Amino acid sequence: MTTVGTNTAQPRERILKAATTLLAEGGREAVSTRAVSAAAGVQAQTIYRHFGDMQGLLDEVARQGYASYLAAKQADGQDGDPVDQLSRGWDMHVAFGLANPALYRLLYTEPRPGQQFAVTGEAHQVLRRIVERVAKAGRLRTSVETAATMVHSAGMGVTLTLIAAQDGDQLTAYEGLADTVRDAILAAVLAPAGGPEPGARPAPVHAIALKSLMRDGVRSLTPGERALLGELLDRIATEEQPGSGTSETQP
């Protein structure tokens, strides 16, 4: 059995280290009250005193395990080309999952009706801010919310697929999958860098960009005017492009 054999560490530190090790070695099922108590050399009551319950302990293990990844993602999302950052963020997410499969499953597959881990919610906000910068640069063809959701859900699905393949020693069979899906998702949400495609209307992309820029504040408009303009921009942003099969009335 895994033990945390240090007399100098405080009980809280020993409990966290024991739970983290058990999670990495045996997955979520291995992190039981009895196993953690034995590995940390404490009574079950000590776990509850420090963390409330086992879910509180798992939340803290997840928070600490995610901290370095989240810090790197936040630092990378401040400056530079937001499209490049979006691509790098995808790669970072997949790499984190493959390096920490048990922790990743805990974060993204643990049933938590009506809520999510605070750390994954924070990571999603970092992603959304990067997508917002893409929109402000005039490079987004969908709404910020739609693009962020597409990138997040596709990235999570790919990562879990690769983790399962890694567990079965079949990772080589999925070589290139993460890059292929990343490129497909980015192609779906990004507008071309050199301007609209032939026959495409630039108005939706500009509407998305303007709505994102409005979030920085427009002092000359009242709240009601901003709400109305936002609604109009949403309608323009979702206009069907020529050839989509949907007829439009020209102004």
Side-chain angles (χ1 to χ4, degrees), residues 13 62 66 110 144 148 150 161 173 176 195-196 211:
E13 296 172 0
Y66 211 54
E110 183 77 9
V144 171
M150 288 176 65
T161 297
K211 185 174 182 182

Side-chain angles (χ1 to χ4, degrees), residues 38-124:
V42 300
Q43 297 296 318
Q45 297 92 317
T46 306
I47 298 175
Y48 303 139
R49 185 169 66 250
H50 284 282
F51 301 98
D53 55 20
M54 287 302 292
Q55 188 60 62
L57 172 58
L58 286 168
D59 285 352
E60 184 60 19
V61 168
R63 188 192 67 79
Q64 290 197 0
Y66 211 54
S68 59
Y69 161 74
L70 185 58
K73 196 176 180 85
Q74 288 172 325
D76 188 61
Q78 299 300 316
D79 302 298
D81 183 351
V83 173
D84 289 344
Q85 289 164 355
L86 193 58
S87 179
R88 288 198 303 271
W90 173 286
D91 295 342
M92 289 170 61
H93 184 94
V94 174
F96 171 80
L98 289 176
N100 305 274
L103 177 59
Y104 190 90
R105 285 195 178 108
L106 174 65
L107 285 162
Y108 288 101
T109 67
E110 183 77 9
R112 294 169 65 87
Q115 59 179 315
Q116 61 180 348
F117 278 110
V119 287
T120 56
E122 190 173 350
H124 188 73

